[in-house]
Amino acid sequence: MYTPELQPLAGSIGLSAAVACLPLLTVFVALGVLRWKAHFAGLAGLAVALVVAIFAYDMPVNLAGLSATQGFVFGLFPIVWIVICAIWLYELTVASGRFDDLRRIIDAISDDPRIQAIIIAFGFGGLLEALAGFGAPVAITGVMLLAVGFAPMRAAVVVLLANTAPVAFGAIGIPILTAGNLTGIDYHEIGAYVGHQTPFIALFVPLFIAFLTDGRRGVSQTWPVALAVGVVFAVAQWVSATWISVELTDIIASLAGIAAAVVVLRFWKPAGSDEARERILLARDADLDSGSSGSAPITPAPVATRTLEAAPLTAQRVWLALFPYLLIIAVFSVAKLWSPVTRFLASTDIAVPWPGLDGNILTAAGSPATTTIYKFTWLSTPGTLLLICGVIVAAVYRVSAPDAARLFGATLIKLRFSALTVGAVLALAYVMNQSGQTITIGTWIAGTGALFAYLSPILGWLGTAVTGSDTSANALFATLQQTAAINAGIDPTLLVAANTSGGVVGKMISPQNLAIAATAVGLIGRESEIFRKVIWWSLGLLLAICLLVGLQSSVLAWMLP
């Protein structure tokens, strides 16, 4: 029986927290400084986490090893399984020729690649985050940006930045529901508070995308659409989270943002679209010619040009091109929003007490740890729902069973190193969590008193960066945030919400998400380069969230619901 100790080293919380941070520092240094491949960085971090758990926290060797195996398996299923099925679905659309029709439909909305990036990465990506989450938006929108004509590196950075504001309400509000269940605070109240924080991030993300796609010219030439999408998304997120539905917030906000882009484009056209497309295609070609693009995508995405095919886009071709994405929306909406189906799917989940681990680990408070139970969500996971969608799409597109199986096999092979990365990172997270390292770090940060209001989003950022999930970050720190807030005389709902909001900007630097983005756009092995490009965006947005939450605890308290 193992009970983690919060300050195992000389009774010092500061020294213990410093040692507990070593696994995370190992990963970040390996990626950002040493430029290791992500799977090597993840394995190195896992090794350090095991050493710290065994020698600093006195965790039995067998329990530390079993914690790692549970995390590794969780990384493979459901996380990697979701990505496999998402990319396989994309491969089916490419093999059938329908993906090129989708590009032409996007061109019909706007032929400006900068605006296309906003619609795809932020609008459609937000909708996918609302319904599926767990890396599926990054995988699908990443390959869509390749089809528009973006260089792989630029596509990866754009989709990672875009996958921020929707995360708090992703997968039908699961992060907020989890926080509510753990703290006993009404999740509607937590959602309303989050809805008064993340919209300030969403407001600017489309403008950031315009900058990433074409620099200052991108902002100066497309700002009316970028601003309209950001404002409408932010207002819709604020209104829905506060008065309509936490679960439907991202669906409403994403659809409203896309609609805003369509309306603005009916009355206004951006300047410099042709030149921007030329610059973006030249940058892509230069990247490919230099040989620095890493491994190629599984199936090359259609090359984007201004010359459209002679065959007209009939209503049938439009319908078939949109069919996979409409099907995903329909399937996930039924699965997540229709109670009879939701209950049925939940009833198929299998709880597996991890052999040798369950019953042998307690929390720091002395109660039995629930994290030692692995939930095998074989049917309800977004991955299986995407697999079902893929089978239907293959039948509708008349892709033969052998061809579909060949594409699935190619996807598995392509993802082998990404699977190792995700498994290693989740193994690291489980070892840190079950040995007590994570809670030591959180307790140390929470000991800053009234200043903690400004620092509380860092815990959510840290938890999401390690696990790749805002839900997991809330599972780790929501109760800690609540307790620290009560002790410091701060509104506990504010800090629980801050944990969620801080997590949204930590997802882009999670090794798990970096591996998914790199795999989708054909940059396997270059995760460290992607990390170095997005880390400053993540830290800048984290600083903004920290400042906002700190002010909301005092002079801006009137902003809260």
Side-chain angles (χ1 to χ4, degrees):
M1 187 72 69
Y2 172 73
T3 302
E5 191 176 343
L6 291 181
Q7 41 194 27
L9 298 178
S12 168
I13 188 68
L15 178 60
S16 300
V19 172
C21 284
L22 290 178
L24 304 180
L25 290 175
T26 300
V27 174
F28 292 149
V29 169
L31 284 174
V33 180
L34 302 178
R35 304 186 181 186
W36 288 6
K37 293 184 178 180
H39 54 278
F40 288 134
L43 290 171
L46 171 59
V48 174
L50 288 169
V51 169
V52 172
I54 294 168
F55 293 101
Y57 281 77
D58 292 326
M59 189 178 197
V61 175
N62 65 316
L63 295 183
L66 289 170
S67 295
T69 60
Q70 184 188 0
F72 193 90
V73 170
F74 180 79
L76 297 182
F77 192 96
I79 305 301
V80 174
W81 176 240
I82 294 169
V83 182
I84 288 171
C85 294
I87 293 181
W88 176 61
L89 182 59
Y90 156 75
E91 292 297 316
L92 291 172
T93 66
V94 173
S96 66
R98 299 295 176 185
F99 195 84
D100 194 56
D101 282 345
L102 178 65
R103 178 186 60 76
R104 295 176 60 193
I105 293 170
I106 295 172
D107 271 345
I109 298 175
S110 173
D111 61 0
D112 191 303
R114 302 162 298 185
I115 293 176
Q116 290 174 343
I118 294 172
I119 294 173
I120 293 170
F122 186 73
F124 186 60
L127 189 59
L128 289 175
E129 181 66 36
L131 296 169
F134 295 100
V138 171
I140 292 175
T141 58
V143 292
M144 291 178 74
L145 288 190
L146 290 185
V148 171
F150 285 97
M153 181 60 68
R154 189 172 297 186
V157 173
V158 167
V159 297
L160 286 170
L161 178 62
N163 189 226
T164 48
V167 168
F169 299 94
I172 315 298
I174 287 298
I176 293 169
L177 290 169
T178 299
N181 289 335
L182 290 172
T183 61
I185 301 173
D186 185 352
Y187 79 89
H188 295 97
E189 184 179 346
I190 298 173
Y193 273 60
V194 174
H196 287 63
Q197 294 168 352
T198 56
F200 292 97
I201 298 296
L203 180 66
F204 296 102
V205 169
L207 290 168
F208 295 156
I209 293 174
F211 177 79
L212 283 173
T213 54
D214 196 30
R216 293 181 179 178
R217 275 179 300 198
V219 177
S220 64
Q221 293 178 344
T222 66
W223 69 266
V225 169
L227 189 61
V229 172
V231 168
V232 171
F233 184 101
V235 170
Q237 196 177 57
W238 180 302
V239 171
S240 180
T242 307
W243 294 295
I244 302 177
S245 168
V246 169
E247 295 88 343
L248 298 180
T249 291
D250 273 351
I251 296 176
I252 294 171
S254 297
L255 292 175
I258 295 172
V262 173
V263 170
V264 171
L265 290 168
R266 287 180 62 90
F267 303 99
W268 174 87
K269 300 297 180 186
S273 296
D274 293 341
E275 294 81 1
R277 182 176 291 273
E278 276 191 38
R279 286 192 297 273
I280 288 169
L281 291 176
L282 285 173
R284 181 204 58 187
D285 293 341
D287 191 43
L288 295 175
D289 291 341
S290 69
S292 63
S293 60
S295 56
I298 303 167
T299 301
V303 177
T305 64
R306 289 303 313 277
T307 304
L308 300 181
E309 293 78 353
L313 269 180
T314 62
Q316 182 183 22
R317 291 182 68 178
V318 170
W319 161 250
L320 287 174
L322 295 175
F323 174 72
Y325 308 99
L326 297 175
L327 178 65
I328 290 171
I329 293 171
V331 168
F332 277 88
S333 296
V334 170
K336 302 293 185 180
L337 301 178
W338 192 17
S339 297
V341 176
T342 303
R343 287 194 296 268
F344 167 72
L345 292 174
S347 70
T348 65
D349 295 346
I350 302 173
V352 182
W354 203 253
L357 193 65
D358 186 57
N360 290 322
I361 290 186
L362 302 178
T363 66
S367 57
T370 59
T371 56
T372 56
I373 298 177
Y374 170 73
K375 186 174 287 188
F376 183 50
T377 55
W378 66 277
L379 185 58
S380 63
T381 176
T384 302
L385 297 179
L386 286 169
L387 177 69
I388 294 170
C389 291
V391 171
I392 296 172
V393 167
V396 171
Y397 283 177
R398 298 182 181 178
V399 178
S400 67
D403 286 343
R406 177 183 56 79
L407 290 171
F408 196 89
T411 305
L412 289 175
I413 294 171
K414 187 74 172 183
L415 281 170
R416 63 192 184 279
F417 290 116
S418 298
L420 179 59
T421 300
V422 174
V425 170
L426 266 297
L428 176 154
Y430 269 66
V431 171
M432 288 189 65
N433 296 345
Q434 294 180 346
S435 67
Q437 295 172 55
T438 306
I439 201 69
T440 293
I441 298 170
T443 303
W444 174 67
I445 296 176
T448 54
L451 181 62
F452 183 53
Y454 288 89
L455 301 177
S456 60
I458 295 175
L459 288 183
W461 177 85
L462 184 67
T464 305
V466 173
T467 65
S469 166
D470 203 13
T471 301
S472 297
N474 278 347
L476 287 173
F477 294 128
T479 304
L480 178 66
Q481 296 269 18
Q482 181 184 35
T483 302
I486 293 172
N487 292 339
I490 304 170
D491 181 356
T493 306
L494 173 63
L495 297 198
V496 173
N499 197 79
T500 307
S501 299
V504 306
V505 296
K507 192 164 185 176
M508 72 176 83
I509 62 165
S510 163
Q512 171 189 312
N513 245 27
L514 292 172
I516 292 170
T519 301
V521 301
L523 292 177
I524 295 175
R526 294 181 64 193
E527 294 87 354
S528 61
E529 189 176 340
I530 302 173
F531 172 81
R532 292 195 303 276
K533 289 183 179 294
V534 299
I535 179 63
W536 302 112
W537 289 98
S538 180
L539 291 174
L541 292 172
L542 174 63
L543 179 62
I545 286 288
C546 288
L547 183 60
L548 175 64
V549 172
L551 293 175
Q552 284 181 335
S553 70
S554 53
V555 296
L556 295 182
W558 55 268
M559 288 179 56
L560 299 174

